[in-house]
Amino acid sequence: MTPRVPTAPDPIDRACVVLGAASILSVVFVAEALDEFRFIRIGGASVAIAVGVGLLACLAGWLRRRGLAVVAGLAFLATAVVQVVSTATGNDWLSSNMSTASFWLGLGAGLVAVGSTPRASNEPHPEGSR
Amino acid sequence: MNAPDALRQRDEADMPMTAEQLRGHEAPVTSRLSGWILAATRVGVALLWIDNTSWKQPPDFGEGDPPRTLYRWTLQAVEHEVLAPYAWFVDNVVLPNFTFFGWLVLIIEASLGAFLLVGLATRAWAVVGMGQSIVISLSTLNAPHEWYWAYLLMFLAHAMLFATAAGRYGGLDGVLRPVWRSRDTAVARILERVS
């Protein structure tokens, strides 16, 4: 059995965790008491999206699965588009607003960027050598 | 001389870095605290755009009777003229095609918030932010009860993000630049330049 050599966390995998954590932390904006400091509107379905996709991004970082990071990023981008369509058609499908769409656009673009960055050839693969 | 050597020698001699040394160094900030302050400033500027995206609402963007939100603010360029050619452009090109320009403003400002927040291609977006600050200034500078320093500060904040390449501190530019630098592709070279 080959002994497992501990490696320092990869900055790109760490970035996935940070982006996912930012999404989960954005749930704080559910509090209307924040008043003018409520930079994004979030509630109802958008809370589930922020937590669910945020956890997926964190998982992608922890498991060092860049494909999963791309999936999480695309999910954020798709949700941002849904929010824009919702506002443009006079609906409130996600209980969020255009600020939330801008926030998700950033997380989505960021996760797609880091997730589509190939691992350096000297980095160990999470599943070991194949 | 490589960048760490240059930094070490500067610390030892307590001398300011030469222009040549600065060019070779990855970024001008040498203390961890300064880096975090730059990151916080970048995120703060991003939140400025994110927060103000909420009232750019398609499909009419406030066009109607009475005019509201983005349309009302755009009208200020004509009603309280700052620069005659710009007022003419708004009156004859922007207002008659307001839906198109409304979407353009929404896309630009939502993207500014998004990309500055995560620190991706930060220098490019800082330039866009400077441009958008000028456009907003030309619409609202002479409007009643406006504080002109707010718009100058907005421009200067983006200039600072550009000058310090702020996405390299706690941003994705800092994470991805080593990868872009190791690649010999056109996209990687562009991303390295705009980060």
Side-chain angles (χ1 to χ4, degrees):
Chain A
M1 198 169 133
T2 311
R4 193 171 173 166
V5 181
T7 53
D10 183 277
I12 294 180
D13 295 322
R14 200 167 49 213
C16 290
V17 175
V18 170
L19 292 171
S23 176
I24 295 166
L25 285 174
S26 73
V27 172
V28 73
F29 291 111
V30 81
E32 289 179 23
L34 287 171
D35 211 11
E36 67 261 39
F37 294 105
R38 198 182 183 204
F39 301 126
I40 64 174
R41 190 166 77 90
I42 194 161
S46 55
V47 172
I49 291 161
V51 174
V53 185
L55 281 174
L56 189 65
C58 288
L59 207 61
W62 281 323
L63 299 176
R64 309 182 68 210
R65 300 280 186 178
R66 301 224 171 135
L68 208 55
V70 173
V71 170
L74 292 175
F76 274 128
L77 293 176
T79 317
V81 171
V82 169
Q83 176 55 48
V84 173
V85 173
S86 169
T87 304
T89 55
N91 292 296
D92 188 16
W93 296 330
L94 304 176
S95 301
S96 49
N97 65 3
M98 297 305 285
S99 295
T100 324
S102 171
F103 179 68
W104 284 335
L105 172 65
L107 297 183
L111 283 164
V112 169
V114 294
S116 56
T117 302
R119 206 171 285 280
S121 54
N122 59 347
E123 284 181 59
H125 191 276
E127 290 179 358
S129 55
R130 284 192 267 191
Chain B
M1 184 191 298
N2 62 30
D5 285 344
L7 277 175
R8 206 174 304 117
Q9 285 192 7
R10 186 202 65 144
D11 286 343
E12 284 166 5
D14 198 22
M15 295 272 287
M17 286 167 79
T18 64
E20 190 183 343
Q21 286 170 331
L22 272 172
R23 268 196 297 276
H25 184 44
E26 174 64 15
V29 171
T30 54
S31 107
R32 204 177 175 81
L33 176 64
S34 302
W36 282 114
I37 290 171
L38 268 185
T41 306
R42 172 176 53 77
V43 171
V45 173
L47 288 173
L48 161 84
W49 293 113
I50 288 174
D51 190 20
N52 284 282
T53 304
S54 66
W55 53 273
K56 277 87 184 185
Q57 292 205 340
D60 62 4
F61 298 97
E63 186 176 5
D65 190 18
R68 295 166 293 109
T69 62
L70 183 61
Y71 190 86
R72 185 171 67 84
W73 281 103
T74 310
L75 269 180
Q76 309 269 25
V78 182
E79 293 172 353
H80 304 281
E81 182 184 304
V82 176
L83 187 71
Y86 182 74
W88 181 90
F89 178 75
V90 170
D91 201 18
N92 293 282
V93 180
V94 176
L95 294 177
N97 303 288
F98 197 68
T99 303
F100 169 77
F101 283 97
W103 279 105
L104 190 64
V105 168
L106 174 63
I107 290 167
I108 288 173
E109 296 194 4
S111 301
L112 272 165
F115 285 87
L116 289 178
L117 181 74
V118 297
L120 186 60
T122 304
R123 297 187 94 184
W125 285 105
V127 171
V128 175
M130 283 189 267
Q132 188 66 0
S133 300
I134 292 171
V135 169
I136 294 170
S137 303
L138 290 175
S139 289
T140 57
L141 213 58
N142 285 342
H145 314 300
E146 287 300 303
W147 186 51
Y148 70 91
W149 270 103
Y151 302 101
L152 186 57
L153 284 171
M154 220 166 121
F155 178 87
L156 291 174
H158 289 93
M160 192 273 286
L161 296 184
F162 174 82
T164 56
R168 298 180 199 179
Y169 308 94
L172 292 182
D173 287 342
V175 173
L176 295 173
R177 271 177 68 82
V179 180
W180 295 333
R181 202 181 301 120
S182 68
R183 301 251 179 82
D184 191 27
T185 65
V187 175
R189 277 194 296 273
I190 291 168
L191 286 169
E192 197 188 345
R193 284 190 75 87
V194 301
S195 62

